Amino acid sequence: MDVVGSEHLQARKGVPQFYRGGDMEALAYRILQIGELGSLALAWAVLFVSAAAALAFTKYELKLSRPAYFLITGLSFLLCAMTSLFALGIQDAIKNDYLAAIVALSYGSLIPIGALAGISAAARSNDAYGTRDKWFLSFVPFANLALLFAASLERPESGIPRVVRSIVLVTLGVLMMGAAEGVSRWVERQAAQAADGAQNDAQLQDKVIRYEVQNNGLEASLKEAAEAIPVPAKLDAITSLKAVEVDKETFRYVYEISDKNANFSSSWQDIMTNRWCKSPDFKAMIDLGATVEGKYVSQDGQQLASLRVSTALCEQWRSQFQKAMEDAANAIKGPTKLDEVTTLMGADYKDGTFSYYYTFALLPRDPAWKEYMKNRWCQTDQFKAMMAVDLDIRGVYTTETNAPIGEVLVNSRICGTSALN
């Protein structure tokens, strides 16, 4: 049994899925991978340092009452939530190499917010404690409540206007905090929807893999991918994926073949090398310098065949295949009479198309002759083998006086993959 038709040989069920430019782009991607707690810690650090810097360069002896400070705190929450909108552009930024700019804007936009928070905290500290030095309490969980609720040293004015003003300021602060929560939840929903479609975005996946490798190293990234592939796995009637191994920069699939009559011929090698070299699932790994290997063993562990693809091996195979096709075309000499009306004059090969040149002694009477020839070629074993390596096969027909009659073109897409098995 020839195993070429087995779908498992494209290894789509065992393809590593990574979803996690330049050095700055890779660094920006690494920052995105520090997790929610890490992101909060980094944002807190930016806000705190910004506040300290702002107070170091300003000496304002401002004072803020509790309601006014609460309002500014609500505004700070809302502004921080607005910076999360940058997250919606992350996928496009990864694909178009401006992720570093997005990350810089996301955290950089916290600098003026931190400055505002620091100056307002110093003013509240000055109002409550007579010194700006306790501003840092604003950035300490629970301790910030002491700064918020501490009474003013100076007795505030009494009366209805003060009460109304306080109510308005606190209400606005609460509304801003509510708006901040709403913005954050909306961004989370939008980000979750975008993440659902990310696995099917080939350009995004390619960039992400490159960042993973640049940050973690090729071998570590391959091992992570191998661990994510479930094994053992039944792939088809005769094939099981038994193991996925990583040996330095080689990513190896170990397949067990149950059919003792499975045929691993030289044509199988050509067909599968062509498929694997063109596979978008393997291309990212190959382009990054990895070698993808398929090891085929019997049920008793005896090796039956192996297949290896890498950038160098694929280029070598393409060069050898190109020369083999050119030699095969040059070996076809004409004129060779095929039947009473058809003569093969010669052939050539160029850019993946193998062309045969024919002359007809008589013009075809049936207007559907092209469709007839196409169906016949789709069932010809010789052409099936050629189409299996993604060749286009073209027939160019002329009269014996070189007047054009027509052309016939077949390939795996036209004939259908089922016709090639």
Side-chain angles (χ1 to χ4, degrees), residues 328-338 343-349 354-359 377 394-397:
N330 293 333
I332 298 175
K333 305 295 183 183
T336 301
K337 198 154 184 73
L338 303 180
T343 301
L344 175 62
M345 303 301 295
D348 65 27
Y349 175 79
F354 202 104
S355 300
Y356 293 90
Y357 297 91
Y358 301 96
T359 61
W377 283 16
R394 184 175 68 129
V396 181
Y397 293 86

Side-chain angles (χ1 to χ4, degrees), residues 157-169:
E157 62 182 33
S158 59
I160 294 177
R162 171 183 168 274
V163 173
V164 172
R165 183 169 64 250
S166 297
I167 292 174
V168 170
L169 292 177

Side-chain angles (χ1 to χ4, degrees), residues 45-64:
V46 172
L47 290 168
F48 186 84
V49 171
S50 301
L55 293 175
F57 288 100
T58 60
K59 301 299 180 182
Y60 304 126
E61 293 296 330
L62 302 176
K63 293 182 179 181
L64 274 180

Side-chain angles (χ1 to χ4, degrees), residues 143-219:
N144 55 9
L145 296 177
L147 184 64
L148 174 62
F149 292 112
S152 300
L153 291 178
E154 297 180 3
R155 184 176 181 84
E157 62 182 33
S158 59
I160 294 177
R162 171 183 168 274
V163 173
V164 172
R165 183 169 64 250
S166 297
I167 292 174
V168 170
L169 292 177
V170 171
T171 301
L172 288 175
V174 170
L175 290 175
M176 288 183 181
M177 289 183 180
E181 180 66 15
V183 170
S184 297
R185 290 184 179 274
W186 182 80
V187 170
E188 287 178 2
R189 290 195 300 269
Q190 296 300 311
Q193 292 176 6
D196 289 340
Q199 292 292 343
N200 297 321
D201 191 327
Q203 184 184 2
L204 177 64
Q205 293 300 320
D206 181 66
K207 287 293 181 66
V208 166
I209 291 172
R210 292 178 185 277
Y211 295 155
E212 290 279 0
V213 171
Q214 194 163 350
N215 286 328
N216 304 326
L218 180 56
E219 184 176 1

Side-chain angles (χ1 to χ4, degrees), residues 7 26 29 40 56-57 138 140 148 187 216 246 289 315 330 332 370 409 420:
E7 290 299 321
Y29 181 77
L40 288 173
F57 288 100
S138 178
V140 180
L148 174 62
V187 170
N216 304 326
V246 174
E315 287 299 325
N330 293 333
I332 298 175
K370 290 184 182 180
L409 178 70
L420 304 184

